[in-house]
Amino acid sequence: MACLIGTDVSLAASLLKAGKLVAFATETVYGLGADALNPTAVAGVFRAKNRPTFDPLIVHIAEMDWLDRLVESVPDRAKRLAERFWPGPLTIVLPKRTIVPDLVTSGLSTVAVRMPDHALALRLLREAGVPVAAPSANPFGRLSPTTAAHVAEMLGEQIDYILDGGSCRVGVESTVVQVLDDIGPVLLLRPGGLAQEEIEACVGRVETPPETAHPSAQAQPAPGMLPRHYAPSTPLVVVDCINSLPAGAERRGLLTLSPIADGSRFTAAEVLSASGDLSKAAAGFFSALRRLDAADVDVIVAMRFPDEGLGRALNDRLSRAAEKVTGPDSV
Ligand code: TXA
Ligand code: MG
């Protein structure tokens, strides 16, 4: 834990401008930022996270007019989405301009952009005056951080500063959509902190591209959607009801949206919301998984969330935490 944690926006901005790595709070999760237009700085992000370079980064902006520097065009539906939901937990994939380094986009002809809804993050971006490429500030494949302490624990040695903006309000990564033109469908590439229902109320039906079982790098529409991701080190199983508990495990940890009748079969339990509120559940999701991971249990039993609103993003994260994949994808 060698790096500095603080709230000094000017210091953080000058570090970014100098090509250094700065982790910062957003409303979704903490990001690990570098000047998006400086390929050497961006290379440092991939190195610190041990992230494969086929997995492109999101570029964060503070003002709508920064978009024109980064993208060739903003189709009408993308404009509507940005005007309605930015700043906020929505990332929009658009045709990129050549100014965006290939390393940021993993050689794709598109770039993912978002304006975070966090006062400190916006001040950082404005003061640095550069778009900031930032994946979640965790080693590749692990649980996303929702506090400065999580970042320090996992990546403290490798980064120059952590801008501490408290606990992330949304708690799950942004929803990623792709809008390439005014004709084709709006594609939902990753469910996240903005519910699909809200997006559809704004631009009509969105389509979900099929996921290949074993994605090879460039074949994925959202290369970051690898089967094994967002994972604790303890094995995790997803169940629909707790009558179907995994056999053989002595010590079980429970992750559940709302309280259950018989909690005594679990060594540790995390109830995300007494009233079953999915926003509250998302806000506490990664912290709860982290506590269960540290609770010395043999297995984490996670109850599936209702398949609506933010429940879809949480179920997506659970299925990626649970899947057992061997080979190069299981990092
Ligand atoms: O909430 C968030 O989105 C956080 C905060 C820090 O902003 N960031 C985040 O970044 O979750 P990351 O790198 O963990 O996830 C980025 C996702 C990946 O699934 C990646 O494949 C996808 O966005 N992505 C990035 N650029 C893309 C592109 N050009 N086309 C398709 N997918 C893209
Ligand atoms: Mg991530």
Side-chain angles (χ1 to χ4, degrees), residues 98-112:
T98 49
I99 190 177
V100 182
D102 283 338
L103 186 57
V104 170
T105 64
S106 305
L108 297 173
S109 59
T110 53
V111 59

Side-chain angles (χ1 to χ4, degrees), residues 49 51 136 138 144 173 190 229-230:
K49 274 188 66 109
R51 176 173 172 126
S136 50
N138 50 282
S144 297
E173 298 84 349
R190 176 176 75 178
H229 216 101
Y230 310 105

Side-chain angles (χ1 to χ4, degrees), residues 136-325:
S136 50
N138 50 282
F140 183 67
R142 312 307 309 189
L143 297 174
S144 297
T146 53
T147 67
H150 295 163
V151 182
E153 269 163 39
M154 294 186 293
L155 289 177
E157 301 292 334
Q158 278 134 115
I159 57 189
D160 298 292
Y161 193 70
I162 301 174
L163 188 60
D164 186 351
S167 291
C168 300
R169 176 175 56 78
V170 175
V172 65
E173 298 84 349
S174 62
T175 304
V176 181
V177 295
Q178 176 171 290
V179 193
L180 294 188
D181 52 41
D182 287 316
I183 305 151
V186 173
L187 294 181
L188 178 76
L189 301 185
R190 176 176 75 178
L194 181 66
Q196 181 176 341
E197 293 88 336
E198 291 209 53
I199 296 171
E200 292 189 324
C202 179
V203 290
R205 227 178 77 74
V206 303
E207 287 183 18
T208 307
E211 256 184 68
T212 47
H214 281 277
S216 69
Q218 301 296 341
Q220 282 291 97
M225 297 297 279
L226 295 172
R228 176 105 172 122
H229 216 101
Y230 310 105
S233 19
T234 311
L236 181 144
V237 294
V238 187
V239 299
D240 288 299
C241 72
I242 56 157
N243 293 332
S244 53
L245 287 182
E250 298 262 296
R251 297 168 59 81
R252 301 187 191 95
L254 172 71
L255 181 72
T256 167
L257 171 60
S258 23
I260 58 158
D262 179 13
S264 62
R265 286 182 287 166
F266 296 92
T267 312
E270 292 286 343
V271 180
L272 293 171
S273 163
S275 62
D277 180 293
L278 285 168
S279 301
K280 187 152 183 267
F285 178 77
F286 281 121
S287 287
L289 267 180
R290 227 170 256 280
R291 284 191 297 273
L292 289 171
D293 207 12
D296 188 27
V297 292
D298 304 321
V299 64
I300 298 170
V301 178
M303 297 268 287
R304 202 182 308 281
F305 294 90
D307 198 31
E308 62 188 29
L310 294 193
R312 291 193 197 165
L314 297 177
N315 284 334
D316 170 80
R317 304 307 184 266
L318 280 185
S319 67
R320 286 171 210 285
E323 277 194 48
K324 296 284 168 292
V325 180

Side-chain angles (χ1 to χ4, degrees), residues 7-43:
T7 56
D8 188 340
V9 174
S10 301
L11 172 61
S14 59
L15 287 168
L16 277 178
K17 280 192 285 190
K20 306 282 190 198
L21 302 186
V22 172
F24 60 99
T26 80
E27 81 283 28
T28 56
V29 300
Y30 274 69
L32 175 58
D35 176 352
L37 304 182
N38 175 345
T40 312
V42 172

